Amino acid sequence: MNAAIALGLVAAALLGLPLFVVLATLGLVASWRSGVDPAVLIVEMHDLTASASLVAIPLFTLVGSVLAAGGAPQRLVRVFNAVLGWMPGGLAVVALTSCAFFTAFSGVSGVTILALGGLLYPILIAGHYPERFSLGLVTSSGSLGILFMPSLPLLLYGVVAKVGIDQLFKAGIVPGLILLVLLGGYSIFTGRRLDVPRQPFSWAELRTAARTSVWDLLLPAGIVIGIFGGYVTVTEAASCAAAYVLFVEVVVHRTLKFDRHLFATFREAVVLVGSILIILSVAMGLTNLLVNAQIPSRVLAYVERVVHSPVEFLLLLNGLLLVVGCMMDVFSAIIVVVPLILPLAMRFGVDPVHLGIIFLANLEIGYNTPPVGLNLFIASQRFDKPVFVLFRATLPFLALMLLWLAVVTYLPFASLWWRGIF
Amino acid sequence: MIRLERALARIEAAVAVAALVAMVLLSFLQILARNLFDTGLPGVDVLLRYLVLVVSFLGAVLAVRDRRHIRLDAAVGLLPEAWKRPLGVGFDLFSALVCGVLSWAAVRYWLEAWRYAEVGRHWLAALSIILPLSLGLLSLHFLLRAWIGAHRPDAAE
């Protein structure tokens, strides 16, 4: 009976039943089977209000929507191009940096491909980069930056795993930079090898570009200093960032006015937050019921029998998460899988902050993994190329990212170096 | 039905956006009050957390009409084209049922919370009405979607 219900729901999920309905149904069935009032699910939903850091999620989402609507992607590409465009493979490095920067604020890689990829791909082609390299680059860049503060997946992991979000912000920086350097190095190498024409460096262009984007660049600087320096909490940083970007776009750049467009920008943020947090709210009730039914401890007992060392555990974890990453989007994966994995990781001595970084790194790669990685499909739609072409185009990037994953997973120091310093 | 859906969505969007605007303003005022005048505004922190509920649940309601709910749908491509519409209608009806059951549970929870609220905390209990209300709206919107999907497939997308 239980198995039949579970199988039916998995099938329905794969055929497109909204995930929150799937989880809510599981929750209702679980409460009915254990003879508990379904109101416990509502109690858990209501307990969302107990989490103070949750307030940061809508605010940072709004920051991303306002920046996107206010033309920040164009300004960023311009300034990074003025700074980095002269290098061999310069344009490719520009693409990587702008995508990482933008994803950190928008947090959803699909949006990065749509907003920035559409802008960068024609520029790369015009700059004589080969088509396959350019496609691979913009597709894989769609999930870069997920480890940089204040990305939504980091925030959500902090809420779900009950880990300090400022700690996650600190932990993500070095692993994120390593990936940026790896992919940047590959781009420079490709630019050299294929002798892609370079553009001259211009002080005049740098000055103009810097003037238009200085406000955007101050934002991450402010967040880093505010949180690392301990001047503000994460929620306060989110509030200041929201007020700041609204001020910049409405008063300084005047790209947004008090009209329908601004309303639509807010509405966009509301729908995005709603579609993520409704899953979180039903999943919390379900998790609670699962804990009562001692499911996590049974899984733990099973895994303890099969797995004997932390390294073995991490290998298994990487494998499992790569599969999860190409089936689920990063938000649902965090909400559904983290509560199950966390007790296991603690048992094998994996730090919860480090686990968060491993988790997100895996999901970031899952986005680009054939056959079902989400980025591949979004890019296929956006650039009107068959998915198979994108598989091939992203392969070299995928290989580098797997190498990076190994570094991030097996060198906890890269994520936790700041302990005892800050 | 299409007009009803549109009208409802307008109101819901207006309330949700107002809640988000209030979040930005209140949280920012709170920071100013703390740093400039050394006093927190009473109740604002709790109010902010409830506004998160308003924003997220109304956002989820709007996501029904926008078709923005997160789905895994890895196997949809395998379906014959002719099955997709009836399946979509069926899923909408099922979602309406599930949300309906949840909202019934939420109504009972809310009544209890109201009855046993401590003196001076009734405003919080009143704010919690967002849960039964938005779960009910979710159910209603899924029903509307099912009707539109079945009768006006041209307008469903």
Side-chain angles (χ1 to χ4, degrees):
Chain A
M1 176 72 179
N2 285 352
I5 293 175
L7 271 180
L9 275 174
V10 168
L14 291 178
L15 290 171
L17 186 66
L19 189 62
F20 92 90
V21 179
V22 175
L23 296 176
T25 313
L26 274 176
L28 287 174
V29 171
S31 69
W32 168 57
R33 303 287 280 181
S34 51
V36 183
D37 190 322
V40 292
L41 296 172
I42 308 296
V43 176
E44 292 291 324
M45 274 185 193
H46 190 259
D47 277 357
L48 273 183
T49 55
S51 163
S53 28
L54 205 65
V55 177
I57 290 186
L59 292 173
F60 272 128
T61 310
L62 180 67
V63 171
S65 307
V66 170
L67 282 177
Q74 286 83 349
R75 294 195 298 267
L76 286 176
V77 170
R78 185 165 177 201
V79 72
F80 284 129
N81 198 15
V83 179
L84 303 166
W86 55 272
M87 301 193 302
L91 262 181
V93 177
V94 171
L96 288 170
T97 328
S98 343
C99 283
F101 193 102
F102 187 68
T103 307
F105 283 95
S106 69
V108 199
S109 48
V111 177
T112 306
I113 296 187
L114 295 175
L116 267 170
L119 186 72
L120 288 164
Y121 180 62
I123 301 182
L124 284 165
I125 296 293
H128 301 284
Y129 284 85
E131 182 183 294
R132 191 191 286 174
F133 172 80
S134 311
L135 275 176
L137 181 75
V138 287
T139 309
S140 344
S141 308
S143 48
L144 264 179
I146 201 176
L147 288 180
F148 290 128
M149 60 170 88
S151 92
L152 273 185
L154 273 179
L155 283 168
L156 194 62
Y157 178 86
V159 170
V160 174
K162 302 193 174 62
V163 175
I165 289 170
D166 52 329
Q167 298 187 27
L168 288 166
F169 281 2
K170 291 170 192 168
I173 292 180
V174 169
L177 284 177
I178 295 177
L179 181 63
L180 211 53
V181 168
L182 260 181
L183 295 184
Y186 174 65
S187 303
I188 294 175
F189 171 76
T190 312
R192 271 246 159 92
R193 187 170 57 94
L194 300 172
D195 219 8
V196 176
R198 289 156 62 172
Q199 46 174 334
F201 180 79
S202 147
W203 278 108
E205 166 63 13
L206 179 58
R207 259 198 304 276
T208 340
R211 209 172 296 142
T212 51
S213 63
V214 63
W215 295 93
D216 302 310
L217 298 175
L218 280 176
L219 176 63
I223 295 176
V224 169
I225 294 170
I227 291 178
F228 265 66
Y231 302 110
V232 288
T233 64
V234 172
T235 312
E236 286 169 344
S239 168
C240 293
Y244 176 81
V245 293
L246 281 167
F247 173 77
V248 168
E249 299 297 353
V250 175
V251 179
V252 180
H253 290 309
R254 304 209 182 139
T255 42
L256 293 176
K257 290 193 281 291
F258 287 102
D259 58 4
R260 281 168 159 274
H261 190 43
L262 188 61
F263 183 83
T265 308
F266 272 75
R267 188 184 185 281
E268 171 66 30
V270 165
V271 173
L272 184 59
V273 170
S275 64
I276 298 168
L277 290 190
I278 185 94
I279 300 181
L280 180 63
S281 72
V282 291
M284 298 214 328
L286 177 62
T287 311
N288 206 18
L289 286 167
L290 290 180
V291 170
N292 284 344
Q294 298 183 326
I295 306 270
S297 50
R298 274 189 230 165
V299 174
L300 181 62
Y302 173 76
V303 173
E304 274 181 334
R305 244 181 296 136
V306 186
V307 179
H308 304 289
S309 69
V311 175
E312 239 177 276
F313 170 74
L314 286 175
L315 264 176
L316 260 178
L317 182 68
N318 277 335
L320 171 81
L321 288 179
L322 283 176
V323 176
V324 169
C326 42
M327 305 282 288
M328 292 170 120
D329 75 294
V330 56
F331 299 114
S332 351
I334 292 172
I335 294 166
V336 176
V337 185
V338 166
L340 292 173
I341 298 285
L342 196 61
L344 293 176
M346 306 281 264
R347 166 68 187 74
F348 285 101
V350 179
D351 186 281
V353 174
H354 183 213
L355 179 72
I357 303 303
I358 298 176
F359 213 90
L360 293 185
N362 261 295
L363 297 179
E364 181 170 346
I365 295 173
Y367 260 125
N368 299 319
T369 316
V372 280
L374 193 65
N375 272 358
L376 298 168
F377 290 94
I378 295 173
S380 150
Q381 269 178 8
R382 182 67 185 79
F383 305 117
D384 203 16
K385 301 278 177 212
V387 177
F388 183 70
V389 171
L390 290 162
F391 286 178
R392 289 203 50 186
T394 47
L395 272 184
F397 294 92
L398 198 59
L400 281 173
M401 287 169 103
L402 285 172
L403 178 73
W404 166 72
L405 177 65
V407 173
V408 169
T409 308
Y410 301 104
L411 285 179
F413 179 72
S415 310
L416 304 174
W417 56 272
W418 45 270
R419 289 249 166 105
I421 301 177
F422 288 107
Chain B
M1 292 293 175
I2 295 173
R3 259 193 269 157
L4 173 63
E5 190 191 40
R6 198 189 306 142
L8 272 175
R10 275 208 190 127
I11 301 171
E12 291 149 4
V15 176
V17 167
L20 186 53
V21 171
M23 281 187 71
V24 176
L25 289 177
L26 286 174
S27 60
F28 196 63
L29 282 177
Q30 178 78 316
I31 296 172
L32 290 184
R34 273 208 192 116
N35 289 293
L36 299 181
F37 307 107
D38 252 346
T39 66
L41 305 169
V44 163
D45 285 337
V46 183
L47 184 59
L48 276 174
R49 295 182 203 169
Y50 275 86
L51 285 172
V52 177
L53 277 196
V54 176
V55 169
S56 356
F57 276 84
L58 287 181
V61 171
L62 290 168
V64 176
R65 179 168 180 262
D66 292 10
R67 287 281 170 215
R68 289 275 300 277
H69 272 294
I70 295 175
R71 295 149 208 270
L72 305 181
D73 66 14
V76 172
L78 306 175
L79 280 181
E81 202 54 39
W83 290 18
K84 285 188 184 166
R85 195 154 69 92
L87 190 70
V89 172
F91 279 167
D92 282 339
L93 284 174
F94 181 73
S95 306
L97 174 72
V98 171
C99 294
V101 174
L102 282 179
S103 81
W104 167 74
V107 168
R108 286 188 308 133
Y109 170 78
W110 182 73
L111 287 174
E112 293 277 299
W114 177 260
R115 194 172 308 147
Y116 296 108
E118 294 160 36
V119 181
R121 305 283 281 181
H122 271 94
W123 65 284
L124 280 182
L127 279 175
S128 311
I129 198 162
I130 187 66
L131 283 181
L133 187 68
S134 53
L135 286 166
L137 282 171
L138 268 172
S139 185
L140 175 63
H141 272 274
F142 275 118
L143 279 180
L144 287 170
R145 270 288 116 185
W147 191 91
I148 293 168
H151 293 82
R152 293 281 304 279
D154 51 311
E157 287 308 312

